[in-house]
């Protein structure tokens, strides 16, 4: 069965690569499609697209807001200052960076590191949806308010405020596959670069995430 997604331009692109094509190979094809994307104005200012990286499929998927300067230069997610912080937080959870899939809600750097606009996020959503379908995750970890709001909107969960939902497990069901998943929002690692006292909250979120992962091993299909 194919998986079709509507792009913001109204065109349908399908991740139906046919029988015998692995999710990893489909993810590579999706990355090539992202590299050629011109659906929003961020395509005019980017150096490289940053589709994300990690194992495919992956039980754990971390989702940031948007690539920064170093990511734009290298084409890899979370390799700048926020990436160093994220790698440390993952290690505190007993996880290696290479064991999880890491991406962002938009795949191109907004100029001057401004927040992505609503229409830019909307234009990029089909890519995130396709990635989630190929990754079959058990746990989605949106990092920061913007990624959390976007995922809550995608799965139709009420979003009272970031403060109220962060550090808690939210069960959702993926409409297309019928699979159960859990969303656990955490602070964005970059928060401590402009608000050092937030480190406690950031570390507390990741401790809760680690406790959840330890308490629910195995497939939660
Ligand atoms: N912040 C993000 O949200 N994504 C990146 O890739 C880097 C920093």
């Amino acid at each position: 069965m194919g998986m079709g997604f509507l792009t913001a331009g109204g065109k349908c692109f399908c991740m139906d690569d046919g029988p015998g094509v692995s999710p990893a190979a489909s993810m590579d094809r999706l990355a090539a499609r992202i590299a050629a994307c011109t659906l929003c104005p961020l395509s005019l200012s980017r150096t490289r697209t940053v589709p994300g990286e990690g194992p495919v499929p992956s039980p754990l998927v971390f989702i940031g807001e948007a690539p920064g300067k170093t990511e734009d230069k290298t084409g890899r997610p979370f390799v700048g200052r926020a990436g160093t912080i994220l790698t440390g937080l993952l290690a505190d959870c007993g996880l290696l960076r290479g064991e999880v899939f890491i991406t962002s809600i938009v795949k191109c750097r907004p100029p001057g590191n401004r927040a992505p606009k609503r229409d830019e996020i909307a234009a990029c959503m089909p890519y995130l949806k396709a990635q989630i379908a190929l990754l079959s995750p058990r746990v989605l970890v949106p990092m920061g308010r913007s990624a959390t709001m976007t995922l809550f909107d995608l799965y139709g969960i009420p979003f009272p405020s970031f403060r109220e939902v962060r550090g808690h497990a939210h069960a959702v069901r993926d409409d297309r596959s019928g699979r159960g998943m859990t969303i656990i929002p955490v602070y964005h690692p970059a928060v401590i670069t402009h608000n050092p006292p937030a480190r406690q909250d950031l570390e507390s979120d990741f401790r809760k995430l680690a406790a959840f992962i330890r308490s629910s091993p195995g497939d939660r299909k």
Side-chain angles (χ1 to χ4, degrees):
M1 255 259 271
M3 291 176 283
F5 297 97
L6 266 193
T7 67
K11 287 187 213 140
C12 183
F13 72 80
C14 294
M15 289 314 300
D16 185 0
D17 287 331
V21 179
S22 68
S26 292
M27 189 66 89
D28 287 345
R29 291 173 68 148
L30 183 62
R33 205 177 273 272
I34 292 170
C37 181
T38 55
L39 284 173
C40 89
L42 296 183
S43 61
L44 301 173
S45 53
R46 73 178 177 227
T47 308
R48 298 184 62 167
T49 52
V50 186
E53 65 185 23
V56 183
S58 176
L60 274 171
V61 177
F62 288 77
I63 304 168
E65 181 178 83
K69 193 172 177 182
T70 318
E71 290 80 16
D72 176 67
K73 212 183 281 178
T74 58
R76 297 183 58 210
F78 282 92
V79 287
R81 215 144 47 120
T84 306
I85 300 165
L86 175 60
T87 303
L89 290 161
L90 291 174
D92 292 344
C93 293
L95 293 166
L96 293 172
R97 211 192 124 98
E99 288 177 323
V100 302
F101 195 90
I102 304 173
T103 187
S104 300
I105 50 173
V106 300
K107 316 302 189 199
C108 297
R109 181 192 183 206
N113 289 352
R114 67 160 170 76
K117 297 178 181 168
R118 283 168 76 103
D119 55 344
E120 293 160 351
I121 294 173
C124 225
M125 271 312 280
Y127 299 128
L128 185 62
K129 285 187 194 172
Q131 288 182 315
I132 293 171
L134 292 171
L135 291 165
S136 307
R138 286 199 302 120
V139 183
L140 293 171
V141 187
M143 298 180 282
R145 183 174 184 279
S146 167
T148 302
M149 249 174 75
T150 302
L151 276 196
F152 274 46
D153 188 45
L154 177 62
Y155 291 104
I157 320 174
F159 180 80
S161 69
F162 180 64
R163 288 200 155 270
E164 282 171 80
V165 301
R166 59 164 269 262
H168 295 287
H170 306 267
V172 294
R173 191 157 291 282
D174 186 69
D175 276 351
R176 286 167 292 273
S177 64
R179 295 176 70 255
M181 295 186 288
T182 303
I183 300 180
I184 305 185
V186 298
Y187 265 112
H188 193 288
V191 69
I192 57 174
T193 62
H194 49 85
N195 180 15
R199 177 179 286 278
Q200 278 195 344
D201 286 338
L202 177 65
E203 290 178 349
S204 149
D205 286 355
F206 274 79
R207 272 196 302 274
K208 288 180 187 164
L209 172 64
F212 179 87
I213 295 166
R214 274 197 305 272
S215 72
S216 61
D219 198 346
R220 288 158 54 89
K221 241 182 187 173

